[in-house]
Amino acid sequence: MKFLLLILFTGCLILFSSVRSFAWDSTAAKFMPLQVGNVWVYYGESHQQFYTGSSKIRLKVVGVLDTLEKQYYRLTQVNSIITGNGGGCGLLPLLIRIDSLTMNLCSPGFTCYSNEFIIDSLNSQKNDTAIKCLNTFKICVDTTSYNIFGSLFASKLFTNERGNSSIRYIKSIGPSNVFWGEAGNWCFTNLTGCVISGNVYGDTSITVGINQISAEIAERSELTQNYPNPFNPVTKIKFAISGSSAAQTFLSVFDLLGREITVLVNQHLKPGTYEVDFDGSNLPSGVYYYKLESGSFTDTKKMVLIK
């Protein structure tokens, strides 16, 4: 009897293991690496009737949310306008998950008689219909290697049923290129850099208007009060970096609850004095904080946006 139970128990373990290995495709999951702390930075342009210009766009995975009896990763998106009223195509919803059975990338939202919708199917091969719902579908049209950040990565390109919208996912990187065009209107969003599992690729800065106003080596590192303050909607932030060599420097803006709004500087800077423009056009009135980190130096100051 014990021998029979052992056989049944072993058989269940084998069956359970085979189902799990078949369901969760770790290779497919790498096309959308979801981990708290991962960051993607994009450059985008738009040419539409009421929306024309360019922007830097920053996506960050900031947490996990349990809803609809499923676990979703929560993202934040920050746009830093460069010209016009900004630009770029829409990227991803701010709540996403990878279904462990189908490897579909999903987000909450009622569609096709379900309480969530499918964004793309990460295990698709070339010419597979990734999504078919309410007479709309997406097709995986390309699975060739893609050159980005000086290396070749496996990739998957999806287009909609009309062929006027596309998104490319890169293995171990995530979404890299988004395009949409119709009747003379168009937009695109291209990846410039990212931080995946602590590894930095490309340029992750969304700085707009950083100027080195002095190359003279400062006696000490310093973060000065923004001016004007209060401001509406643009203010200048000046800081100095001391030392004898370039230092990895971060200048970030946070809201009153300590949530990161944007990263103005994320790069190696030589000793000297710098000035950065911060545009709060897309933010509500309120108190914000900006924090400078350069080498061992850290300082934080408060600023007020009044509209």
Side-chain angles (χ1 to χ4, degrees):
M1 183 66 177
K2 291 182 178 179
F3 181 71
L4 178 60
L5 290 174
L6 179 62
I7 292 176
L8 291 173
F9 179 72
T10 304
C12 289
L13 283 178
I14 294 172
L15 177 61
F16 179 73
S17 300
S18 64
V19 169
R20 283 180 61 85
S21 62
F22 174 77
W24 182 259
D25 187 338
S26 59
T27 298
K30 289 180 180 178
F31 284 89
M32 186 61 244
L34 290 174
Q35 178 179 316
V36 175
N38 283 359
V39 176
W40 298 266
V41 177
Y42 300 85
Y43 172 79
E45 290 186 12
S46 294
H47 182 78
Q48 302 176 49
Q49 185 175 2
F50 302 108
Y51 187 45
T52 299
S54 60
S55 295
K56 274 293 196 73
I57 304 159
R58 184 175 185 264
L59 280 180
K60 183 176 182 179
V61 184
V62 296
V64 178
L65 178 66
D66 291 315
T67 184
L68 303 175
E69 298 183 351
K70 298 179 177 67
Q71 190 176 77
Y72 294 89
Y73 284 87
R74 185 167 63 89
L75 284 68
T76 59
Q77 179 172 322
V78 176
N79 289 17
S80 181
I81 296 174
I82 301 174
T83 63
N85 54 4
C89 299
L91 287 160
L92 294 171
L94 299 183
L95 285 177
I96 56 177
R97 74 179 184 96
I98 299 175
D99 185 83
S100 60
L101 293 176
T102 63
M103 303 310 297
N104 290 337
L105 188 62
C106 305
S107 184
F110 182 79
T111 183
C112 295
Y113 313 105
S114 174
N115 57 12
E116 67 177 0
F117 64 92
I118 300 171
I119 303 168
D120 288 300
S121 297
L122 300 179
N123 65 349
S124 295
Q125 302 303 311
K126 187 174 181 180
N127 297 324
D128 284 352
T129 299
I131 303 170
K132 191 170 185 178
C133 171
L134 303 179
N135 297 319
T136 65
F137 59 89
K138 295 182 75 174
I139 302 175
C140 181
V141 296
D142 180 26
T143 56
T144 58
S145 296
Y146 190 79
N147 191 335
I148 191 170
F149 308 134
S151 300
L152 288 174
F153 294 84
S155 75
K156 296 184 180 184
L157 178 67
F158 294 90
T159 64
N160 65 355
E161 76 280 5
R162 300 171 62 183
N164 67 341
S165 176
S166 66
I167 182 170
R168 184 182 295 274
Y169 297 88
I170 296 180
K171 184 179 177 181
S172 302
I173 297 293
S176 63
N177 308 89
V178 181
F179 174 81
W180 171 84
E182 184 175 59
N185 298 301
W186 54 264
C187 64
F188 71 82
T189 305
N190 293 335
L191 184 69
T192 63
C194 58
V195 181
I196 307 297
S197 301
N199 298 312
V200 181
Y201 300 89
D203 177 13
T204 58
S205 169
I206 62 170
T207 302
V208 178
I210 180 171
N211 297 307
Q212 183 173 9
I213 59 179
S214 174
E216 182 178 347
I217 297 177
E219 293 184 3
R220 58 188 176 88
S221 295
E222 183 182 15
L223 177 64
T224 62
Q225 186 65 52
N226 66 297
Y227 63 95
N229 187 45
F231 67 99
N232 178 26
V234 179
T235 188
K236 293 182 180 295
I237 300 172
K238 188 167 76 172
F239 60 92
I241 299 173
S242 62
S244 57
S245 60
Q248 180 65 39
T249 302
F250 300 91
L251 180 62
S252 306
V253 178
F254 301 85
D255 65 12
L256 193 58
L257 298 178
R259 295 175 298 196
E260 189 176 81
I261 299 299
T262 186
V263 177
L264 298 174
V265 177
N266 177 10
Q267 62 192 86
H268 278 80
L269 293 179
K270 297 178 181 179
T273 303
Y274 297 83
E275 192 173 69
V276 178
D277 294 330
F278 173 63
D279 189 338
S281 298
N282 295 327
L283 298 173
S285 297
V287 176
Y288 295 88
Y289 294 90
Y290 56 102
K291 180 180 180 181
L292 177 68
E293 299 174 87
S294 183
S296 60
F297 176 81
T298 301
D299 194 11
T300 302
K301 292 190 180 298
K302 181 172 69 174
M303 59 184 173
V304 180
L305 171 63
I306 298 179
K307 293 185 175 180

